Amino acid sequence: MKTSKFYFLVLGLIFSSIAFTAPGRAVAAGHEAEIAAANAEWTKQYNAGNAAGVTALYTEDAKVLPPNSDIVTGRDGITAVWQGMLDSGAKGVKLNTVEVMGTGDSAVEVGTYEVMDKEGKVIDKGKYIVNWKKVGSSWKLHRDIWNTSMPAPMSEMK
Amino acid sequence: MKTSKFYFLVLGLIFSSIAFTAPGRAVAAGHEAEIAAANAEWTKQYNAGNAAGVTALYTEDAKVLPPNSDIVTGRDGITAVWQGMLDSGAKGVKLNTVEVMGTGDSAVEVGTYEVMDKEGKVIDKGKYIVNWKKVGSSWKLHRDIWNTSMPAPMSEMK
């Protein structure tokens, strides 16, 4: 009887440990690759000139914080941000992840970016922070902010 | 005997639930107030012209991502960012938290800011994302990025 009680108590503690550590570890192992894949899709959609396709990679209640603009919410508003960038002559974007931190269904990515004109000439370089959120089985951009690394007089988009 | 086994299995499942949910909830309850207090200290130090005092609120391995600059790491580099802002005439900063998300020892804050000159005139308005990290018993700024919300021609600091 004592052995039996001890056995079930140990079983309970093992359950506790699994419940406590598994979600973080399981996601931590896979989320960097999944976020890299989502970033590859981001640049694919943007570089194809598909503003709505970029927006589809964001959560339904995403917020985008572009320079020289208030905080943008809502799918139409976010699509207008990318369309405005495309129309300004920013035809290509390259993203480079510096680090991804976080566990569970939330992650913070720090990265750098390059923006190219239609000839492929780099017209802006900068950095960004994205707060990613896992929605169902997909990592989506939930909060997105960036700024230029170029000197102030050159920071204005052509 | 059957009742006893069932009792210990239920006990185990209760342990699991507590272990799974308690850390997130316990921190979520307190971290907004603690981050608000840290932000109040940030503005207090900045508005007193104490660049090193602002930097002391960051983690040892913090990264700061100022506009028109590469990513800045290290305490001396980060202090130079605030000293540079102070020297440029940005004598006062107001911070306004829009939202704080996250559980455990990591949180993401979205906020807006105002920068004032020495007469208290607003010379810049913008927004920021801070990734906060709990170090010991204190919430510290771990990653910090911001950009202006003012139109491009007015975005250059005087």
Side-chain angles (χ1 to χ4, degrees):
Chain A
M1 180 72 167
K2 268 201 169 166
T3 312
S4 164
K5 277 187 185 177
F6 179 74
Y7 172 76
F8 277 92
L9 189 59
V10 167
L11 199 68
L13 291 172
I14 289 168
F15 280 169
S16 304
S17 310
I18 292 168
F20 189 13
T21 61
R25 284 191 193 166
V27 174
H31 73 319
E32 290 200 15
E34 288 165 19
I35 286 170
N39 274 330
E41 186 63 21
W42 197 105
T43 49
K44 186 184 157 194
Q45 292 296 330
Y46 186 91
N47 296 347
N50 186 358
V54 176
T55 300
L57 302 169
Y58 287 70
T59 60
E60 288 288 340
D61 55 341
K63 290 190 175 121
V64 170
L65 289 71
N68 312 120
S69 155
D70 286 328
I71 295 173
V72 177
T73 56
R75 307 228 129 205
D76 291 351
I78 293 173
T79 297
V81 170
W82 313 131
Q83 195 60 55
M85 269 182 63
L86 285 161
D87 293 347
S88 78
K91 297 300 186 192
V93 169
K94 259 191 215 171
L95 303 175
N96 170 53
T97 298
V98 172
E99 58 182 344
V100 177
M101 300 166 286
T103 53
D105 63 358
S106 179
V108 172
E109 180 198 5
V110 177
T112 58
Y113 72 80
E114 285 185 357
V115 176
M116 278 75 64
D117 67 10
K118 65 178 192 294
E119 279 90 31
K121 193 184 139 224
V122 174
I123 53 174
D124 189 25
K125 286 184 189 203
K127 55 231 175 276
Y128 62 87
I129 290 185
V130 171
N131 175 214
W132 292 84
K133 191 175 168 182
K134 195 160 193 177
V135 181
S137 60
S138 303
W139 283 94
K140 299 269 193 179
L141 296 97
H142 190 48
R143 300 290 180 265
D144 185 5
I145 185 171
W146 65 96
N147 64 37
T148 186
S149 297
M150 297 172 92
M154 298 172 66
S155 69
E156 290 165 47
M157 279 279 198
K158 279 159 237 173
Chain B
M1 182 68 169
K2 269 201 169 165
T3 311
S4 165
K5 276 188 185 178
F6 178 74
Y7 172 76
F8 276 92
L9 190 59
V10 168
L11 200 67
L13 291 172
I14 289 168
F15 279 169
S16 304
S17 311
I18 291 169
F20 191 14
T21 61
R25 285 191 191 166
V27 174
H31 73 321
E32 290 200 17
E34 288 165 19
I35 286 169
N39 275 329
E41 187 64 22
W42 198 106
T43 49
K44 185 183 156 192
Q45 293 296 330
Y46 186 90
N47 295 348
N50 186 358
V54 176
T55 300
L57 302 169
Y58 287 70
T59 60
E60 288 288 341
D61 55 342
K63 291 189 174 120
V64 170
L65 288 71
N68 312 118
S69 155
D70 286 329
I71 295 173
V72 176
T73 56
R75 309 227 128 205
D76 291 350
I78 293 172
T79 298
V81 170
W82 314 129
Q83 195 60 55
M85 270 182 63
L86 286 161
D87 294 347
S88 78
K91 296 299 186 191
V93 170
K94 259 192 215 172
L95 303 176
N96 170 53
T97 298
V98 172
E99 58 182 345
V100 178
M101 299 166 288
T103 54
D105 64 357
S106 180
V108 172
E109 180 197 6
V110 176
T112 58
Y113 71 81
E114 285 185 357
V115 176
M116 279 75 65
D117 67 10
K118 66 179 191 293
E119 280 89 30
K121 192 184 140 226
V122 175
I123 53 173
D124 189 25
K125 284 184 189 203
K127 55 229 176 280
Y128 63 87
I129 290 185
V130 170
N131 175 213
W132 292 84
K133 191 174 170 183
K134 196 160 192 177
V135 181
S137 60
S138 303
W139 284 93
K140 298 270 191 179
L141 297 97
H142 191 47
R143 301 290 180 262
D144 185 5
I145 185 171
W146 66 96
N147 65 36
T148 185
S149 297
M150 297 173 92
M154 297 171 67
S155 69
E156 291 167 45
M157 279 281 198
K158 280 159 238 173

